[in-house]
Amino acid sequence: MTPLSSSVPRLVIAAPSSGSGKTTVATGLMAAFASRGLAVSPHKVGPDYIDPGYHSLATGRVGRNLDAYLCRPELVGPLFAHGARGCDLAVVEGVMGMFDGAAGEGELASTAHVAKLLRAPVVLVVDASSQSRSVAALVHGFASWDPEVRVGGVILNKVASDRHEVLLREALDSAGVPVLGVLRRAPQVDTPSRHLGLVPVAERQAAAVEAVAAMGAQVDAGCDLEALLALARSAGALSCAAWDAAEALVSSPPPPLPVPSLGAAPPDPRFGPEGASSSNAGRAENAGLRSKGPGVRDPLKIAVAGGAAFTFSYAEHAELLSAAGADVVVFDPLRDEQLPDGTRGLVIGGGFPEVYAAELSANEPLRKAVSALAETGAPVAAECAGLLYLCRELDGMPMCGVLDASARMSERLTLGYRDAVALSDSVLAVAGTRMRGHEFHRTVVEPGSGAAPAWGVRAPERRVEGFVQQGVHASYLHTHWAAEPGVARRFVERCRTS
């Protein structure tokens, strides 16, 4: 890892609950500071893919996630340092309520947990629309609940009037937490939502740019930016080194378990802690990878789905693929009728194919190209939206037909972290590899797994899930490859040899 040369000033933006205005304030702060000439590093606590798109618009930099569940606590600091390298300031948007984390895991992956890992002061965003003096009790409770979390200020959101502001400030005088900003109700900063939260930036570029500009202007006018910057500079020094994709690939150890035959299900003990490996997946049987190092051979082309229908991806995935020797090329399944020339492997991440099912179905040439690539045995990695796209049909409309399964929208929201173990040797992992993932969808795939399932989900309930066939690995689980760098290396090696 590359040593961290300086301690980047940083703020964590938290709230008592979802819907308080964290995204408005965090994105507005990013835009306001960027407009003053600061290089601002944007971050989001948790697995969410959508908010980082708005952060990227505000800062001109890639929005990055800090997830202590998916990547484990020890990687939060290094991943932060990687993203914030060379920046004047980092703004970290929290998730849900400040102390809400992985279910049944205490503080793990909560905003408070990440703030402590980053030694960062917290700014609490409070929706003040339905309270006055009670705000003091609320702020006092959050500021005193965990003495290791330093709440350095509060920003009052949705304040109704000058009189309302006076009442709130008077109440907070006794709480010992300074008011660093007051924001009035402003419809122009609202962003539209639908079944899985905010509408992604890629689907509303012009409107999103206007909304982010409005957030920046509102925060600039209503917040004490100098006081907020001074608070950010009070963050404690980090002793970790910055994460580096190439170094992560080199340092990953080989798998401890034998590789079963393709499609074979492991014995039941693999679902138990004594049988599952928590070490890096896909550290490929080819031991020559370690001595040769990543990226020394000619790059090979890996196509990654993008555009409005496939917006969910962690930046570190492409960085790891590139470090492993791939030439990563983005294509848009809504517009492009063929895969990029020379494609050797395909990655289809998450997004909203259900919203664009008609357009995706209408692009028959690309559907046939994807199916033809899969039939050759080329590696194909698909998560959630990618899984739906590979199905025979989605809401009755033809898709790629790579998987003998149908998908449809559902009223039921499936949401949460998952503890899983690979059940079949695949292009991503050897059977027995333990990984953590996240599900977030309102769709159903029938059947939910194939003859060779991708994962055995251990928690919160035990079940099998996903498909492994030929070179295809398709699943609802979103995973973060920085936690298991060998996934990218194994995928690239399979692309090279398939």
Side-chain angles (χ1 to χ4, degrees):
M1 288 187 178
T2 304
L4 182 63
S5 59
S6 64
S7 183
V8 178
R10 53 200 176 276
L11 295 171
V12 172
I13 310 303
S17 66
S18 296
S20 299
K22 291 189 303 295
T23 300
T24 296
V25 171
T27 307
L29 283 171
M30 294 172 192
F33 281 118
S35 70
R36 295 191 175 198
L38 273 67
V40 182
S41 180
H43 303 266
K44 170 68 180 179
V45 177
D48 177 68
Y49 293 98
I50 299 175
D51 291 346
Y54 288 88
H55 298 169
S56 183
L57 271 187
T59 64
R61 297 178 65 91
V62 175
R64 295 179 184 270
N65 295 72
L66 300 172
D67 195 308
Y69 184 90
L70 293 183
C71 295
R72 303 190 185 278
E74 58 268 22
L75 265 183
V76 168
L79 287 171
F80 168 82
H82 170 61
R85 185 186 285 112
C87 287
D88 303 309
L89 172 70
V91 177
V92 182
E93 180 186 343
V95 62
M96 300 185 292
M98 186 164 77
F99 298 104
D100 301 328
E105 299 282 353
E107 72 171 5
L108 178 63
S110 67
T111 303
H113 186 206
V114 171
K116 290 194 284 188
L117 291 170
L118 296 179
R119 305 187 68 196
V122 172
V123 176
L124 190 68
V125 179
V126 176
D127 179 351
S129 59
S130 300
Q131 58 185 315
S132 57
R133 189 165 179 264
S134 295
V135 73
L138 177 68
V139 172
H140 173 74
F142 273 83
S144 60
W145 177 260
D146 184 343
E148 295 183 37
V149 177
R150 177 162 63 100
V151 178
V154 60
I155 292 177
L156 300 171
N157 192 30
K158 299 181 183 179
V159 176
S161 63
D162 291 345
R163 175 59 179 162
H164 188 201
E165 179 180 340
V166 169
L167 293 173
L168 294 167
R169 287 184 178 275
E170 287 178 350
L172 286 167
D173 283 343
S174 62
V177 180
V179 177
L180 300 179
V182 175
L183 305 180
R184 301 296 171 86
R185 295 187 180 95
Q188 65 268 30
V189 305
D190 291 341
T191 52
S193 298
R194 61 177 179 224
H195 59 287
L196 292 182
L198 299 181
V199 176
V201 164
E203 298 185 42
R204 53 185 302 265
Q205 277 288 351
V209 169
E210 292 176 3
V212 167
M215 293 176 200
Q218 185 188 29
V219 166
D220 188 59
C223 295
D224 186 343
L225 294 185
E226 294 304 320
L228 285 160
L229 186 57
L231 179 62
R233 288 172 174 157
S234 73
L238 293 177
S239 59
C240 64
W243 179 85
D244 179 86
E247 293 176 8
L249 290 173
V250 170
S251 63
S252 54
L257 294 173
V259 180
S261 60
L262 183 64
D268 288 342
R270 291 284 176 85
F271 283 95
E274 70 281 2
S277 165
S278 60
S279 65
N280 208 321
R283 273 52 112 207
E285 310 76 55
N286 182 355
L289 277 175
R290 293 184 59 79
S291 60
K292 293 178 181 177
V296 298
R297 287 165 285 185
D298 292 335
L300 72 165
K301 190 170 294 183
I302 293 179
V304 176
F310 298 97
T311 56
F312 293 5
S313 178
Y314 297 127
E316 292 80 5
H317 289 199
E319 291 169 352
L320 283 164
L321 289 171
S322 295
D327 176 16
V328 178
V329 181
V330 178
F331 72 102
D332 186 349
L334 291 176
R335 300 177 182 274
D336 298 323
E337 293 190 343
Q338 295 296 326
L339 293 169
D341 290 341
T343 293
R344 300 282 296 277
L346 177 60
V347 176
I348 315 174
F352 291 97
E354 63 270 30
V355 176
Y356 295 97
E359 293 93 329
L360 291 170
S361 184
N363 191 351
E364 185 177 3
L366 183 64
R367 290 193 289 109
K368 289 183 176 179
V370 170
S371 178
L373 182 72
E375 286 179 4
T376 69
V380 178
E383 288 186 350
C384 201
L387 166 67
L388 306 184
Y389 187 52
L390 295 184
C391 285
R392 186 177 60 253
E393 62 178 14
L394 171 57
D395 284 337
M397 287 171 274
M399 291 291 125
C400 295
V402 173
L403 304 174
D404 187 17
S406 63
R408 58 179 172 81
M409 285 288 293
S410 169
E411 293 296 320
R412 179 174 177 265
L413 174 63
T414 300
L415 171 68
Y417 288 121
R418 304 290 185 256
D419 185 6
V421 59
L423 293 185
S424 308
D425 182 31
S426 74
V427 296
L428 295 184
V430 295
T433 299
R434 178 95 169 265
M435 287 193 74
R436 289 180 166 185
H438 184 265
E439 279 190 272
F440 187 37
H441 59 90
R442 286 187 185 272
T443 58
V444 174
V445 170
E446 296 170 330
S449 61
W455 302 110
V457 178
R458 296 155 43 94
E461 73 281 337
R462 296 188 176 218
R463 58 187 171 87
V464 297
E465 190 270 347
F467 301 78
V468 172
Q469 61 182 54
Q470 293 184 284
V472 175
H473 184 287
S475 163
Y476 265 124
L477 257 63
H478 294 290
T479 57
H480 200 303
W481 292 0
E484 300 289 347
V487 166
R489 188 173 66 185
R490 181 180 178 90
F491 188 79
V492 172
E493 282 305 303
R494 292 302 175 91
C495 290
R496 197 178 298 281
T497 58
S498 65

